[in-house]
Amino acid sequence: MTLELPVLTKGGASRRDLLKASIVGGGLVLSFSIAAKSEAAETAGASALNAYVRVAPNGIVTIMGKNPEIGQGIKTSLPMIIAEELDVAWENVRIEQADNDPKLYGRQFAGGSMATPLNWDDLRRVGAVARAMLVNAAAVAWNCPAGDCKTSAGQVVHVATGRKATYGSLAAQCAGLPVPDPKTVPLKDAKDYKIIGKAMPQYDVKKIVTGEPLFGIDVRMPGMLYATYEKAPVFGAKVAKADLDAARAVKGVRKVFTVEGGTNLTGLLPGVAVVGDSWWAARKGRNALNTQWADHPTSKQSTAGFDKRAAELAAGPPMKSLRKDGDVDAALKGAAKTVEAAYAYPFLAHTPLEPQNCTAQFRDGKMEIWAPTQNPEPGRQLVASTLGLKPEDITVHMTRCGGGFGRRLSNDYMVEAAWIAREAGVPVKLLWTREDDMHHDFYRPAGYHYFKGGVDAAGNVVAWQDHFVTFGDADAVASSAGMAPTEFPSRFVPNFRMDQSTIPLGVPTGPLRAPGSNALAFVNQGFIDELAHAAGADPLAFRMKLLGDKPTVGEAPAMYNAGRMKGVLAAVEKMSGWAGRAKLPKGTGMGVAFHFSHLGYFAEVVQAKVASSGAVKVEKVWVAADVGRQIVNPAGALNQVQGAAIEGLSHALFQKITIENGAAVQSNFADYPLLRMADSPPVEVKFVITDYPPTGLGEPALPPVIPALCNAIFAATGKRIRSLPIDTSQLKT
């Protein structure tokens, strides 16, 4: 059954404007669309070839976008893969966002830059199977072998006679034909691609720039009320007292109630819900609560306390050894030059421009949810377990997300909305404030690294020691707070030691764009630069030497392809004019860094100018990337790389979440700024094509830009940046 809900469109469409059934493999296809009426009419009478593809009599092909769209362009690029193998003209393609349905679509999530590598082969086969079905339908109609036919831009052509039939005229005839084995259908050669590899604008771009409703925050339902949910500043603290009557007395407030909640920081936490006729009424009611919170152990934690404890731990023996190769102590004693340095980085918030929100309706024992989520199925399971519902009684419609960066991998806002909707008895839209979003994040963890390293007389790194102080306990680190024993330069230094100590933490943490790597690249590439300086070596040539002569190190899944990394280093060296950096004016420097993460190899150079006041101006960024043999959508790929670099610069220059008395201090963009357009540098991007499977690139472009900037500042000033965000007062001359 295809259920389209064009309730978010202009023109006052009814909630259920179109209801039609299509059988796919003996099952039901359930899809949610916020397409306009004109689009629904355009694709009326369409026949489903499989769970992803419908073909209308007029030749318009509707392709389902299986994964959440959070701005990374996946709603466009994954259907491009299907459309290519289907052999349909892109202008005749329409795209709908699929509902959460793991039985039909498998894993549906946005995270880890995994959409392309996980779906590349499967979605090509989806398109190829649909194409084969249309060819078979034509062959039956023409009483000829299927091998006598070919396809071209939405038509099947009989090669010998030139006879043609449109996909629209053939689609209904596919219903009675056997479905080809996906493993046997031929796939196109890359040289024949007409869609893949061509720059395509994001499918929704016109709707976005003209303000048509697409996002979770835009959802409207008949009879819908609005909700806010107040939680303790200290994560997980219970409600001690709240003036519910004062909130109920506010005009427009319908319901006010306390939620007991639990202790799982990723689930439903204690709080007070206020439901009103408008969000403003609910917000005013919340302001009247005057909530007091119970004591909680986390209230004793602070950034200052973490800093102090990290220094204490660094002075003593580590709690745990992560890796030990060779004899680091002996190598340090025998080194020609040694360097010691302490690095630190702060907690970071995700700050998507669309705050967390969710619309939910509970009716007849079933829950229906409209959510801008990166991870819908775990959200469905969370709602089921918290509310005592069967997962099959919960439907999750995925709306477009106004940014995510990993924040929407957690579904706390979804379970809050579901709980409130069940209590309210009507559809409810929960909307967080910006302050809610910043105070109740799953922060990128802070961390501390205490390095010792040595180089020999020939400029080789002979010793590397890192005492990593992070958060967690003896058995496990906090979410996204760990470091793998294979993290570069592990396996590239003969005498290598990586140790770990942990600090207890009651602050929720989680993945933020390029989780782990966004911090580890800063410290490791910064310290590599320090060793290069100690060796008197060109920082880029020093890195080339460190990567060595072996093309690969280690085995899958922990293999590191040094040859690919050297390829992007060579490319960025040429792009940036690295050899001519000595001609830069005083106070201007270039820095280089590289990093491997999320299957992508990236090297970046930053050119930055430091004024006598200490102000830093990033003048240009160069990025060389190796993400395999195929860029699906060059326009989207360019946007992702440039956006990652800009976000990384924001992290380096401005952003820090400080914990005091167990709560986040920063609350809005006034004290947690983003890089503004006027200060954003040009970002030049080159994709180095290599014969490896295509990978994602929304995340791996971010980590190198931070150390590249810090290394550029050192080149310009001679002053090292060992903690973030950059303190420009220390750069004054």
Side-chain angles (χ1 to χ4, degrees):
M1 179 174 62
T2 300
L3 177 61
E4 300 190 6
L5 300 174
V7 296
L8 311 185
T9 63
K10 297 177 180 178
S14 64
R15 179 170 179 268
R16 283 177 171 78
D17 199 57
L18 178 63
L19 181 64
K20 59 184 179 180
S22 57
I23 305 299
V24 180
L28 296 177
V29 182
L30 184 65
S31 64
F32 171 66
S33 170
I34 49 179
K37 279 187 173 182
S38 59
E39 291 186 11
E42 189 179 31
T43 58
S47 299
L49 303 186
N50 53 45
Y52 291 86
V53 179
R54 301 198 309 268
V55 181
N58 61 359
I60 296 298
V61 176
T62 300
I63 299 178
M64 304 305 292
K66 63 165 285 189
N67 279 10
E69 174 58 64
I70 61 172
Q72 83 281 41
I74 211 67
K75 185 178 177 182
T76 304
S77 60
L78 291 186
M80 285 175 66
I81 296 171
I82 296 173
E84 181 64 73
E85 293 292 347
L86 181 58
D87 204 7
V88 62
W90 184 248
E91 58 266 25
N92 290 330
V93 171
R94 306 294 180 263
I95 302 173
E96 290 183 9
Q97 177 66 62
D99 275 345
N100 174 58
D101 192 335
K103 292 182 179 179
L104 277 181
Y105 301 110
R107 294 187 68 192
Q108 296 170 271
F109 71 101
S113 293
M114 293 303 294
T116 296
L118 288 179
N119 292 288
W120 171 251
D121 288 329
D122 288 345
L123 293 190
R124 284 195 296 160
R125 292 189 179 99
V126 165
V129 166
R131 183 183 73 235
M133 292 173 66
L134 292 161
V135 168
N136 290 341
V140 169
W142 297 336
N143 194 27
C144 70
D148 290 351
C149 303
K150 67 176 184 178
T151 60
S152 177
Q155 298 182 101
V156 179
V157 182
H158 187 253
V159 176
T161 64
R163 186 176 182 181
K164 300 178 180 179
T166 66
Y167 286 179
S169 67
L170 296 167
Q173 302 171 44
C174 294
L177 298 178
V179 178
D181 183 352
K183 297 179 181 178
T184 64
V185 292
L187 300 175
K188 282 187 177 182
D189 190 290
K191 65 180 175 56
D192 298 322
Y193 288 163
K194 298 181 178 65
I195 295 174
I196 292 176
K198 302 297 187 294
M200 303 292 186
Q202 285 203 29
Y203 181 73
D204 290 329
V205 68
K206 182 178 179 181
K207 294 178 180 179
I208 293 170
V209 300
T210 57
E212 290 194 36
L214 287 168
F215 299 91
I217 202 170
D218 297 324
V219 172
R220 302 288 188 275
M221 299 286 291
M224 184 180 79
L225 298 179
Y226 297 79
T228 63
Y229 190 59
E230 183 169 54
K231 292 183 288 190
V234 177
F235 312 97
K238 290 182 175 294
V239 179
K241 183 179 179 182
D243 194 343
L244 306 187
D245 290 336
R248 292 184 184 116
V250 173
K251 183 179 179 180
V253 169
R254 296 287 193 91
K255 284 182 177 288
V256 184
F257 52 89
T258 300
V259 178
E260 181 68 19
T263 59
N264 179 4
L265 296 183
T266 64
L268 181 66
L269 292 177
V272 183
V274 181
V275 182
D277 293 330
S278 67
W279 183 83
W280 184 242
R283 181 75 175 107
K284 289 180 69 177
R286 174 176 166 178
N287 290 343
L289 286 170
N290 192 27
T291 309
Q292 299 176 35
W293 304 97
D295 291 337
H296 192 278
T298 300
S299 64
K300 296 181 175 64
Q301 297 182 356
S302 68
T303 294
F306 297 147
D307 293 347
K308 180 181 178 182
R309 182 58 180 153
E312 292 170 350
L313 289 169
M319 297 179 179
K320 184 177 182 179
S321 173
L322 299 179
R323 187 183 186 99
K324 185 177 181 181
D325 299 328
D327 189 336
V328 171
D329 293 334
L332 285 170
K333 288 179 181 179
K337 295 279 185 69
T338 60
V339 180
E340 293 190 34
Y343 280 72
Y345 42 85
F347 293 97
L348 291 180
H350 295 80
T351 60
L353 291 185
E354 178 192 26
Q356 310 314 312
N357 65 88
C358 182
T359 300
Q361 175 175 316
F362 185 70
R363 184 173 56 187
D364 300 328
K366 298 182 185 297
M367 184 70 69
E368 194 168 8
I369 294 170
W370 291 260
T373 174
Q374 291 181 241
N375 214 6
E377 180 58 21
R380 184 170 75 123
Q381 297 295 332
L382 176 64
V383 171
S385 62
T386 304
L387 276 69
L389 301 174
K390 296 178 182 179
E392 57 267 29
D393 288 336
I394 302 170
T395 300
V396 178
H397 305 294
M398 291 186 286
T399 67
R400 189 180 180 98
C401 305
F405 316 111
R407 173 58 181 90
R408 287 182 161 103
L409 289 168
S410 298
N411 290 290
D412 47 333
Y413 55 94
M414 187 189 296
V415 74
E416 290 171 3
W419 186 281
I420 295 169
R422 187 178 67 174
E423 294 297 311
V426 295
V428 169
K429 176 158 70 175
L430 171 69
L431 177 60
W432 287 21
T433 66
R434 174 63 59 198
E435 290 76 13
D436 290 336
D437 211 36
M438 206 167 286
H439 287 160
H440 292 284
D441 205 341
F442 294 88
Y443 304 100
R444 195 284 305 273
Y448 309 84
H449 295 255
Y450 298 87
F451 289 112
K452 293 180 182 179
V455 294
D456 63 16
N460 300 300
V461 182
V462 295
W464 180 286
Q465 176 181 308
D466 180 8
H467 185 174
F468 174 36
V469 179
T470 186
F471 295 92
D473 54 39
D475 297 321
V477 297
S479 176
S480 297
M483 180 167 60
T486 53
E487 185 71 36
F488 189 87
S490 167
R491 301 175 291 178
F492 288 84
V493 179
N495 303 289
F496 184 94
R497 185 162 66 224
M498 184 189 296
D499 299 317
Q500 179 181 285
S501 295
T502 51
I503 302 172
L505 183 69
V507 176
T509 62
L512 185 148
R513 193 174 190 171
S517 298
N518 49 39
L520 299 178
F522 160 61
V523 299
N524 289 332
Q525 289 289 315
F527 193 59
I528 287 171
D529 224 61
E530 296 204 44
L531 293 174
H533 182 70
D538 175 324
L540 195 149
F542 185 83
R543 285 169 168 80
M544 284 284 196
K545 189 175 184 180
L546 178 58
L547 285 164
D549 298 324
K550 293 181 180 180
T552 61
V553 173
E555 303 293 333
M559 186 179 72
Y560 193 103
N561 195 313
R564 295 177 72 179
M565 191 61 82
K566 292 173 79 171
V568 293
L569 261 178
V572 83
E573 178 181 26
K574 184 177 180 180
M575 292 166 62
S576 63
W578 177 264
R581 68 192 186 285
K583 299 178 183 178
L584 292 171
K586 183 179 179 181
T588 300
M590 295 176 77
V592 63
F594 65 75
H595 196 73
F596 167 70
S597 68
H598 301 83
L599 306 179
Y601 293 82
F602 281 74
E604 305 184 18
V605 169
V606 169
Q607 181 172 308
K609 180 179 180 180
V610 182
S612 58
S613 64
V616 175
K617 172 69 174 178
V618 181
E619 296 184 332
K620 189 165 183 180
V621 179
W622 293 266
V623 181
D626 179 353
V627 290
R629 69 175 66 98
Q630 185 64 62
I631 306 299
V632 176
N633 183 1
L638 179 64
N639 290 342
Q640 282 294 285
V641 173
Q642 291 177 331
I646 296 299
E647 183 174 357
L649 294 177
S650 285
H651 294 175
L653 290 166
F654 307 125
Q655 295 179 343
K656 178 179 183 178
I657 290 292
T658 305
I659 304 299
E660 290 183 6
N661 300 317
V665 173
Q666 289 74 18
S667 61
N668 212 313
F669 293 125
D671 51 8
Y672 194 88
L674 304 177
L675 190 69
R676 307 304 291 262
M677 290 181 67
D679 298 317
S680 298
V683 180
E684 182 180 331
V685 180
K686 177 180 177 61
F687 293 104
V688 178
I689 304 302
T690 56
D691 194 21
Y692 293 91
T695 70
L697 50 75
E699 295 178 274
L702 187 152
V705 76
I706 299 172
L709 170 59
C710 295
N711 295 338
I713 291 172
F714 175 76
T717 66
K719 297 179 180 180
R720 282 289 172 195
I721 304 297
R722 293 184 178 134
S723 64
L724 296 177
I726 295 166
D727 183 356
T728 57
S729 69
Q730 301 300 311
L731 302 178
K732 293 180 180 179
T733 57

